[in-house]
């Protein structure tokens, strides 16, 4: 009676778990499992099952085969008994399973799946690959001994094959030669001898031994004398073959005998793995976890479910018993979940002490008890002529006689089944009897007097199963610290009892209800209100914590990104700086190596110094842009107007161009600079370089012949960007070299529509007017 497992339905849990076991030995062991009380043993079992759950979820189920338990064969091995082919095949299957399990382990390790507390099982496992290879070299998967198992067997079977061919050839020749005497042209076997069907009238025509005759006696089956010698040789070889096969089987048996100890070790390991895997697969089905385990009598279940209920629809319960609150009195309507709460606490405690994970929140805490007593349900005994009340009382008497400290007691509907006044008195006396021990107890009741009694006790508290007064349906979860009504009047109305009858009942009840009961009812309503407020506040706190956590994660992410961006920019800028220093050193080195610079060289050096490094705008904040905005186009250093926007593409019109740009290429609110017309006067010194800004005029006086093309290219580019239609090219009269260079350029340029010399007031032949396309 230490653990009342049947009342709490532990046997059903163990039956479900045993279905996952591959070995009958483990199936039987699981069905007969008893709760343990040793703390270290329970923790070890729970840890192994938890680790096995993790392994199975990541690596899949262990490759255990059905009925792999070869303990009987290994017992025979100790007796040096020669195995049969069938038994050797069984050993072979065991070795193949061993190979697959070791492969499973190696692949899991490669995938970095930790085995933790299960590691020692695989560290202690022996590898019998050499024995498996030896068996494979002797017999095939169907148990047929292979021809090349031994040289002698190979020779015997080759000789048998030759003689069998000779026998068949001779028989076919006899069929052909003696066809006139035969009923059929077939070869038949009688008494394991090859015979031919001879007509009865010709039986003396063929020499041989008669082995049989047909039912009609018209056909005689004769073994020809010519084949008897070959047949005798075949029979002799078959005897030799059988002897050789028995010799091979004996050799295989000896090899198995030699490995019997290590095979037994592996079998024990596989049984342990099967045991843990069965528990783990059931835990995965329930989404079960390992609870915290203590020895101080603390029971703290958080969102726990009864494992035999549908886990998708079952309502979880939360409750606590400890050294300050040793007894919990649960009240509420019938079918509201009081009994389920009792069974859940008792069953999860037994499961934990059996090393089985429980369907609850991982913050749950369960204590190890030396005894678990339960009086649940109606177990009326017809054979013993005991009523419901007597049956309950008999069990409770046994509990009181055997109770001791560190016991969990679960009593359902205490004091029911007899006169209410006597039942209440007896229930209080029973509670007082248990109160003298350091135990944890849960009791369900409908009696109001027991509710009052609970309020008066120091180490006792109440709980009620939630009930929806609007729908008149139970909600099944527990409300700690409250006392629940049976709601008989509400349920009677819902079921259709006449209103006047219900009102009459309420009047009678109010007359009998004590002032204390009324105060308790009012207090209970207030406690329910505060409990709801507490739940609401807890939910809001949880949401606030969740949002705080998300904010902190976002902040950390942004700070990391910021550090990465700063580091990236720093790296790029340092690279640019080093690049510029290298370029400056190169320019200085070139200047130091030359005593005098030509104008083109000076212009080239100035160009290099003015170029600098290209600007990186990947981290520049962009402006908000809309259709119609005037923008500065960074790549072209020009101004334009946004005509349309599609996704991140901005269509901008500037001058004669209509192009698409990214947002990062545009800048808003830049002060538009006017293109100023300038007229170059005077001679250009040899140190000057042409202006790069857009102009209606290009002054080439002082330029060399080879410098004209570059100046014309730059002038035309600027003219196209600013929308200028014509230009005045000043080349002067001079020697005509510059003018020739200008006209050579005009002839080859596809962008010039026409050209002419300047007219009166335009510079005459010292100027050329060009019109652009």
């Amino acid at each position: 009676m230490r653990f009342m497992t049947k009342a709490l339905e532990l046997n059903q849990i163990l039956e479900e778990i045993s279905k996952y076991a591959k070995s009958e030995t483990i199936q039987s062991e699981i069905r007969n499992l008893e709760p343990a009380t040793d703390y270290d043993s329970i923790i070890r079992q729970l840890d192994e099952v938890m680790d096995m759950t993790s392994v199975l979820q990541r690596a899949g189920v262990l490759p255990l085969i059905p009925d792999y338990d070869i303990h009987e064969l290994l017992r025979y091995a100790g007796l040096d008994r020669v195995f049969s082919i069938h038994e050797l095949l069984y050993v072979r299957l065991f070795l193949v399973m061993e190979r697959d399990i070791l492969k499973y382990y190696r692949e899991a390790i490669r995938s970095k799946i930790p085995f933790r507390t299960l590691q020692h099982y695989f560290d202690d496992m022996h590898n019998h690959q050499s024995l498996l290879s030896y068996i494979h070299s002797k017999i095939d998967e169907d148990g047929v001994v292979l021809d090349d198992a031994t040289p002698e067997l190979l020779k015997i079977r080759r000789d048998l094959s030759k003689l069998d061919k000779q026998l068949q050839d001779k028989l076919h020749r006899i069929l052909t030669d003696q066809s006139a005497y035969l009923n059929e042209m077939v070869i038949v076997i009688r008494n394991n001898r090859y015979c031919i069907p001879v007509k009865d009238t010709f039986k003396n025509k063929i020499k041989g031994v008669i082995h049989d005759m047909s039912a009609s006696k018209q056909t005689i089956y004769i073994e020809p004398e010519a084949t008897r010698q070959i047949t005798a040789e075949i029979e002799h070889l078959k005897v030799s073959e059988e002897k050789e096969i028995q010799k091979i089987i004996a050799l295989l048996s000896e090899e198995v005998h030699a490995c019997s100890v290590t095979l037994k070790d592996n079998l024990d390991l596989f049984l342990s793995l099967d045991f843990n895997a069965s528990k783990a697969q059931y835990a995965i089905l329930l989404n079960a976890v390992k609870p915290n385990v203590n020895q101080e009598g603390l029971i703290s279940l958080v969102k726990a479910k009864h494992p035999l209920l549908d886990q998708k629809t079952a309502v979880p319960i939360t409750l606590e018993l400890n050294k300050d609150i040793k007894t919990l009195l649960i009240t509420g309507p019938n079918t509201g979940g009081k009994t389920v709460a009792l069974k859940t606490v008792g069953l999860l405690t037994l499961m934990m002490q059996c090393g089985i994970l429980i369907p609850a929140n991982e913050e749950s805490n369960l204590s190890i008890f030396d005894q678990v007593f339960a009086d649940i349900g109606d177990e009326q005994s017809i054979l013993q002529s005991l009523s419901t009340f007597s049956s309950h009382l008999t069990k409770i008497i046994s509990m009181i006689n055997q109770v001791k400290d560190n016991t969990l007691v679960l009593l359902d509907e205490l004091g029911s089944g007899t006169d209410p006044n006597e039942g209440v008195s007896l229930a209080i006396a029973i509670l007082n009897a248990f109160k003298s021990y350091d135990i944890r107890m849960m009791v369900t009741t409908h009696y109001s007097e027991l509710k009052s009694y609970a309020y008066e006790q120091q180490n006792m508290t109440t709980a009620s199963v939630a009930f929806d007064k609007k729908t008149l349906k139970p909600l099944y979860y527990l409300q700690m610290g409250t006392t629940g009504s049976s709601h008989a009047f509400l349920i009677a109305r819902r079921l259709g009892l006449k209103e006047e009858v219900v009102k009459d009942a309420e009047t009678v009840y109010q007359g009998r209800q004590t002032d204390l009961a009324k105060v308790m009812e009012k207090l209970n309503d207030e406690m329910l209100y505060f409990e709801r407020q507490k739940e609401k506040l807890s939910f809001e706190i949880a949401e606030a914590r969740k949002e705080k956590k998300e904010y902190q994660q976002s902040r950390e992410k942004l700070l990391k990104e910021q550090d990465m961006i700063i580091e990236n920019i720093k790296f790029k800028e340092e690279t640019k700086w080093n690049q510029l220093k290298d370029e400056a050193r190169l320019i200085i080195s070139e200047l130091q190596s030359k005593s005098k610079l030509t104008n083109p060289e000076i212009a080239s050096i100035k160009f290099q110094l003015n170029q600098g490094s290209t600007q990186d705008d990947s981290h520049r904040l962009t402006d908000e842009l809309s259709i119609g905005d005037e923008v500065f186009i960074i790549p072209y250093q020009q101004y334009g107007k946004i005509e349309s926007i599609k996704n991140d593409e901005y269509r901008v019109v500037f001058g004669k161009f209509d192009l698409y740009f990214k947002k990062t290429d545009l800048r808003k609110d830049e002060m538009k600079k006017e293109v100023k017309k300038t007229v170059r006067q005077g001679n250009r010194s040899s140190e000057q370089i042409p202006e790069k800004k857009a102009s209606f005029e290009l002054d080439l006086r002082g330029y060399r012949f080879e410098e004209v093309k570059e100046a014309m290219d730059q002038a035309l580019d600027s003219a196209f960007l600013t929308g200028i239609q014509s230009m005045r090219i000043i080349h002067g009269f001079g020697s005509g070299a510059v003018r020739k260079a200008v006209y050579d350029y005009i002839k080859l340029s596809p962008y010039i529509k026409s050209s002419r010399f300047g007219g009166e007031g335009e510079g005459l032949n010292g100027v050329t007017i060009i019109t652009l396309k």
Side-chain angles (χ1 to χ4, degrees), residues 546-561:
K546 181 181 177 182
E547 290 177 1
K548 180 182 177 182
K549 185 178 179 181
E550 290 175 352
Y551 164 76
Q552 288 175 340
Q553 290 174 344
S554 299
R555 182 174 177 273
E556 290 174 2
K557 182 181 178 182
L558 288 172
L559 287 173
K560 286 181 182 178
E561 290 177 354

Side-chain angles (χ1 to χ4, degrees), residues 37 39 42-43 292-300 320-326 349 352-353 365-370 405-408 437-441:
T37 56
Y39 177 84
I42 292 170
I43 292 297
N292 298 301
V293 181
N294 67 89
Q295 295 176 286
E296 290 76 42
L298 171 62
I299 297 176
S300 177
E320 182 171 342
L321 289 174
N322 50 48
K323 63 181 180 180
D324 297 321
I325 303 173
K326 297 182 178 180
T349 298
M352 176 272 294
Q353 292 187 223
N365 214 318
L366 286 174
S367 180
I368 298 172
F369 291 101
D370 294 328
D405 290 346
N406 196 36
T407 298
L408 176 62
Y437 297 93
D438 184 15
I439 65 173
R440 301 295 178 266
M441 184 160 56

Side-chain angles (χ1 to χ4, degrees), residues 609-625:
L609 291 173
N610 289 331
Q611 282 294 98
S613 298
T614 57
Q615 185 178 358
D616 182 11
D617 291 323
S618 60
H619 305 292
R620 183 174 67 81
L621 293 176
T622 56
D623 300 314
E624 288 297 327
L625 303 175

Side-chain angles (χ1 to χ4, degrees), residues 140-312:
D140 64 14
E141 295 180 359
D142 298 321
V144 177
V145 179
L146 300 174
D147 292 349
D148 57 354
T150 61
E152 181 63 25
L153 183 63
L154 181 62
K155 179 179 180 302
I156 290 171
R157 287 188 173 171
R158 284 178 176 172
D159 291 344
L160 276 172
S161 179
K162 290 178 183 176
L163 288 174
D164 187 64
K165 188 176 184 306
Q166 290 177 17
L167 179 61
Q168 294 297 326
D169 290 342
K170 184 157 286 193
L171 285 169
H172 282 94
R173 281 198 299 272
I174 292 172
L175 284 177
T176 304
D177 295 342
Q178 307 293 336
S179 58
Y181 307 132
L182 305 179
N183 267 337
E184 294 181 85
M185 295 288 289
V186 294
I187 299 170
V188 296
I189 296 177
R190 293 290 187 272
N191 298 328
N192 293 320
R193 297 297 182 107
Y194 288 103
C195 302
I196 55 176
V198 181
K199 296 176 183 178
D200 180 60
T201 53
F202 300 114
K203 62 183 178 182
N204 295 321
K205 295 290 185 181
I206 298 176
K207 289 185 177 182
V209 178
I210 298 174
H211 286 282
D212 198 4
M213 69 172 58
S214 66
S216 63
K217 298 183 180 181
Q218 297 298 312
T219 304
I220 307 299
Y221 297 101
I222 299 174
E223 177 189 7
E225 185 69 29
T227 63
R228 291 191 65 203
Q229 180 62 33
I230 299 175
T231 302
E233 291 179 19
I234 289 174
E235 288 181 348
H236 175 73
L237 285 175
K238 283 186 176 181
V239 171
S240 300
E241 179 189 31
E242 185 60 31
K243 288 181 179 179
E244 190 64 22
I245 287 174
Q246 291 303 317
K247 179 181 175 183
I248 292 167
I249 291 173
L251 291 172
L252 289 171
S253 299
E254 287 178 11
E255 292 296 323
V256 175
H257 296 161
C259 297
S260 61
V261 175
T262 53
L263 286 171
K264 177 65 168 62
D265 292 340
N266 275 9
L267 175 59
D268 292 339
L269 294 174
F270 296 156
L271 291 171
S272 297
L273 290 173
D274 193 6
F275 184 72
N276 285 320
S278 301
K279 290 182 180 179
Q281 287 176 271
Y282 185 68
I284 292 170
L285 177 70
L286 295 180
N287 195 24
V289 300
K290 173 195 170 187
N292 298 301
V293 181
N294 67 89
Q295 295 176 286
E296 290 76 42
L298 171 62
I299 297 176
S300 177
L301 288 178
V302 181
K303 296 182 178 178
K305 297 180 179 181
H306 194 289
L308 294 177
L309 296 177
D310 185 347
Q311 297 299 294
K312 294 180 181 178

